[in-house]
Amino acid sequence: MLGREDIGIDLGTASVLVYIKGRGVVLREPAMVAVDRNTRNILAVGEDAKRMQGRTPSHVVTIRPLRDGSINDFDITERMLRFFLHKVIGRRMLFRPRATVCVPSGVTDVEKRSVIEAMLDAGARRTQLMDSCIAAALGAGLDVAGPYGSMIVDIGGGVTDISVVSLERAIVRGTTKVAGDQFDETIIKYLRRKHNLMVGERTAEELKLTIGAAIRRTEKLYMDVTGRNLVTGLPKTLRVHSDEIYEALEEPVQALVEQVHAVLERTPPELAADIFDHGITLLGAGSQLFGLAESLSRQLKVRCRVTEDPQACVAMGTGRAMESEDTYSRAMFDARQLKGYMSA
């Protein structure tokens, strides 16, 4: 039986979400840490670190310890997890919680052990890992235990996971770096090339969320952005319209369509027929790009939908899996199942 102290964690490239039964998603913060280069001391984590991005002195750097779907810095990842766990359940815990952590698809067994050990060090009584695509499907309300296929396109910050799920397994899977970070990077390059304007990652993300689109908008939107003029070196404010951001994002959106198409081509015919009947489910923060589902539907000739709370799907899925642990036990594994693991 799931106790009040049991938690589910979505350890994503761009953000970390924590789910507690009866309370839902209780923490939703960027997977970002501000670190002193000289001492390796952590100065800020999550939202506080993101606010410091681009505004720190030379000896302080804001980093994401997870990049492109894998753990880039083990030590910082452990300390970040410890901070978030203490923030949710307090440093003086009456009960050591059980934790189910969803990890990106690209992590190795070594990285999985690192996550488990980090959670144990942070105060967890027991830690299980869960396949993120199964958790995503559960959070989206799909029946992953049934003998029919469901396609999940999880567009995160560093990577996009494309999975065909059936019988609690990812039958066909593809991963691409065409995701939220690449959308931002494409916008930065576009403004630099067309307007000689250098903007930061935060500004590019704001442009994407405010006026960005995967299809042309019927009503043109505008947004004023300030950056550095690459010719004069001085600050400059520029009015950008939505058609420009659409043009900037056209190439990565097309690349994403091709990746989804490639996974469909490798899908067994019976499962492909199920996907055609039930459609494709989009989730993850990147799926909120205006018109993305419609663009995919038009080009793939398959109905696509975005879930109600796309960013929280994986975290919600971990909670549902813990509530019915016997049903979804095949989708979860602990340290003993990892190759080369030796218990203390």
Side-chain angles (χ1 to χ4, degrees):
M1 186 176 183
L2 186 64
R4 289 178 300 173
E5 72 275 14
D6 294 334
I7 60 176
I9 300 176
D10 172 16
L11 183 61
T13 304
S15 59
V16 175
L17 288 84
V18 178
Y19 172 95
I20 296 180
K21 184 188 177 185
R23 295 169 58 190
V25 176
V26 297
L27 182 139
R28 188 185 312 222
E29 295 207 29
M32 189 171 288
V33 181
V35 183
D36 188 315
R37 290 178 188 268
N38 301 327
T39 64
R40 291 281 289 179
N41 289 336
I42 291 181
L43 306 178
V45 180
E47 289 288 356
D48 292 338
K50 187 170 185 178
R51 282 193 288 268
M52 295 170 66
Q53 189 178 19
R55 296 185 171 94
T56 59
S58 59
H59 69 282
V60 176
V61 60
T62 54
I63 64 171
R64 285 184 182 169
L66 293 95
R67 298 293 295 184
D68 300 331
S70 62
I71 298 172
N72 195 42
D73 190 314
F74 296 149
D75 177 56
I76 297 297
T77 300
E78 290 179 7
R79 292 157 75 184
M80 180 183 71
L81 279 171
R82 186 178 298 115
F83 174 87
F84 287 139
L85 188 60
H86 289 164
K87 186 172 182 178
V88 169
I89 61 179
R91 294 182 181 274
R92 299 177 64 183
M93 295 174 284
L94 295 176
F95 302 98
R96 288 168 61 87
R98 290 190 309 163
T100 299
V101 183
C102 284
V103 291
S105 61
V107 298
T108 64
D109 279 359
V110 172
E111 292 171 328
K112 289 173 182 176
R113 286 198 296 272
S114 178
V115 172
I116 290 172
E117 289 163 6
M119 291 302 299
L120 293 174
D121 289 344
R125 181 174 81 250
R126 175 191 171 202
T127 300
Q128 295 181 111
L129 300 183
M130 186 173 184
D131 193 324
S132 59
C133 71
I134 302 298
L138 280 173
L142 302 177
D143 179 12
V144 301
Y148 52 84
S150 301
M151 179 173 250
I152 299 292
V153 180
D154 184 0
I155 308 169
V159 295
T160 294
D161 249 340
I162 307 161
S163 308
V164 177
V165 177
S166 180
L167 296 171
E168 297 181 50
R169 288 287 186 270
I171 308 300
V172 186
R173 192 169 206 163
T175 302
T176 174
K177 292 181 181 179
V178 181
D181 289 347
Q182 190 171 109
F183 290 162
D184 298 342
E185 187 179 334
T186 302
I187 292 171
I188 291 172
K189 290 180 179 177
Y190 179 88
L191 293 176
R192 185 172 59 206
R193 183 179 67 251
K194 185 172 181 180
H195 297 291
N196 286 318
L197 186 72
M198 189 64 171
V199 300
E201 293 178 8
R202 290 187 63 185
T203 301
E205 183 181 19
E206 193 176 351
L207 276 167
K208 176 185 68 179
L209 296 175
T210 306
I211 65 173
I215 58 173
R216 288 195 183 273
R217 292 177 181 265
T218 53
E219 179 185 356
K220 192 176 291 187
L221 301 178
Y222 296 87
M223 179 176 163
D224 292 331
V225 296
T226 301
R228 188 177 76 248
N229 189 312
L230 293 175
V231 177
T232 66
L234 299 174
K236 175 184 176 181
T237 299
L238 174 74
R239 172 158 285 194
V240 181
H241 59 79
S242 53
D243 282 354
E244 290 185 290
I245 306 303
Y246 162 73
E247 290 171 13
L249 293 174
E250 200 169 10
E251 186 177 337
V253 167
Q254 185 59 40
L256 181 61
V257 171
E258 290 170 4
Q259 290 293 329
V260 176
H261 185 266
V263 173
L264 282 171
E265 283 185 325
R266 293 189 284 115
T267 302
E270 291 79 5
L271 296 179
D274 294 336
I275 293 166
F276 185 81
D277 289 340
H278 299 107
I280 298 171
T281 301
L282 307 184
L283 53 99
S287 68
Q288 298 175 93
L289 177 65
F290 179 85
L292 182 58
E294 186 176 342
S295 178
L296 284 166
S297 297
R298 287 176 183 176
Q299 298 187 65
L300 298 172
K301 311 300 182 187
V302 180
R303 179 171 50 87
C304 299
R305 71 177 183 97
V306 180
T307 56
E308 187 175 342
D309 188 352
Q311 193 175 7
C313 272
V314 175
M316 294 292 292
T318 60
R320 289 173 183 169
M322 287 190 298
E323 290 169 12
S324 305
E325 193 171 337
D326 292 339
T327 304
Y328 302 111
S329 58
R330 287 195 298 170
M332 296 186 282
F333 52 95
D334 59 26
R336 293 167 295 182
Q337 295 168 265
L338 296 176
K339 185 178 180 180
Y341 179 81
M342 294 181 66
S343 58

